[in-house]
Amino acid sequence: MTATAQRATPRKALSPGAKRGIWIGVIVLVILGVVLGTRVVSNDDPLLQGTEEFDPATFGAENFPGVQESIAERATDAETLAAAIAEDPAAAAEEYATASSGGPVYSVTFTGTVGEGTSGIYEVEVEGLPDDVLVRVQTGPAINGTELRDATGEITFGQFTNQIDYQNAAAALNEELKKAVLANIDNAALQGKTITVTGAFTLINPSSWLVTPTEIEVS
C-alpha cells in the first residue's frame, strides 16, 4: 500500500514593497506613541523651577507684621495670666496659650519698671504680680527662642522642607524683631524706666517668665 505524500504549499515571500510598508507602519506607531506621551511644559511651569530654597530674610520680613498683630490680639494682661496659671496651669494653658513642643506659649501685655539687666535681658517689676513671679524681657542684641514662630499657632513644621528651615524661620522672625522694634531701644539707659510691653513667652517655670517683646514703649 502506497501513500501519497502531501507537499506543503510554500509561503509566498513578501515583496520588498510590502516589507517597506510594514516598517513604515511600525515607525508611524512609534512616533505617534512618543507624541501622545510628551507633555509640553511652559518656561514658568513649577516642574522646571525645582524646589524653591528657603530664604530666611524674606520669610522674616513677610511674616513678622502678621505675627506681631496676632500676638497683640491674643495678649492677656500679666496679672490675669499669673492668677490663672497659679490656680490651674492646665486650664490656663488651654484658655490662654498656644501649644508648642517646648511648652505652652503665652501672649502677654504689661507695664512695669525696668530693674537690673545683663546681656540684654532685664528684670521688670510689674504691679499686681505675686512677689514670687519674676518677669524678664529680652531686648537684644541677641534674641533667643522660638516664641514668635510658635505663639500664633499659624506657623507649623509642615510648611517647611526640614527641621533646619523650621528653626531658621524662628531665627528670621527674631532678626526682624530686632530691626523693626528693638533697633531704637537704648539698653544702657533702660534701668529705672517704665516700659509697656506686648510679647510672648514659653512657660517653662511658672515663677520665671522670659518675654520676647513684639511691641515695647519706653517712658
Side-chain angles (χ1 to χ4, degrees):
M1 182 177 178
T2 62
T4 302
Q6 294 181 347
R7 296 181 179 180
T9 302
R11 294 181 179 179
K12 186 176 181 180
L14 295 174
S15 67
K19 291 180 179 180
R20 189 181 304 110
I22 292 174
W23 278 111
I24 291 174
V26 170
I27 292 171
V28 169
L29 290 175
V30 170
I31 293 174
L32 183 61
V34 170
V35 170
L36 293 177
T38 300
R39 175 184 173 185
V40 177
V41 181
S42 63
N43 290 333
D44 59 353
D45 193 288
L47 292 174
L48 294 181
Q49 306 305 316
T51 302
E52 185 176 351
E53 186 175 350
F54 177 69
D55 180 3
T58 300
F59 177 87
E62 291 180 349
N63 288 275
F64 177 75
V67 168
Q68 184 183 46
E69 181 179 356
S70 181
I71 288 176
E73 292 174 350
R74 295 166 179 268
T76 304
D77 70 89
E79 187 174 357
T80 299
L81 275 186
I85 292 169
E87 181 178 353
D88 189 336
E94 184 175 353
E95 182 173 358
Y96 297 111
T98 299
S100 79
S101 59
V105 182
Y106 288 89
S107 296
V108 64
T109 185
F110 56 85
T111 297
T113 303
V114 179
E116 296 182 351
T118 179
S119 301
I121 297 177
Y122 286 86
E123 296 180 9
V124 182
E125 183 179 347
V126 181
E127 186 175 353
L129 291 190
D131 293 338
D132 61 348
V133 175
L134 173 65
V135 176
R136 295 175 298 156
V137 175
Q138 54 176 341
T139 60
I143 300 295
N144 300 308
T146 61
E147 283 76 18
L148 301 189
R149 184 195 68 191
D150 298 337
T152 69
E154 298 170 0
I155 301 174
T156 63
F157 177 73
Q159 298 172 234
F160 301 88
T161 303
N162 51 48
Q163 181 64 39
I164 294 176
D165 286 354
Y166 189 45
Q167 190 64 33
N168 286 341
L173 291 169
N174 291 348
E175 286 299 312
E176 196 63 27
L177 163 66
K178 289 161 61 175
K179 291 188 292 183
V181 176
L182 302 178
N184 296 323
I185 299 296
D186 183 1
N187 284 354
L190 274 181
Q191 190 169 348
K193 296 291 182 65
T194 297
I195 59 173
T196 298
V197 173
T198 298
F201 68 95
T202 302
L203 187 68
I204 299 173
N205 180 349
S207 298
S208 182
W209 304 357
L210 178 59
V211 178
T212 301
T214 49
E215 299 176 23
I216 182 169
E217 295 180 6
V218 182
S219 58

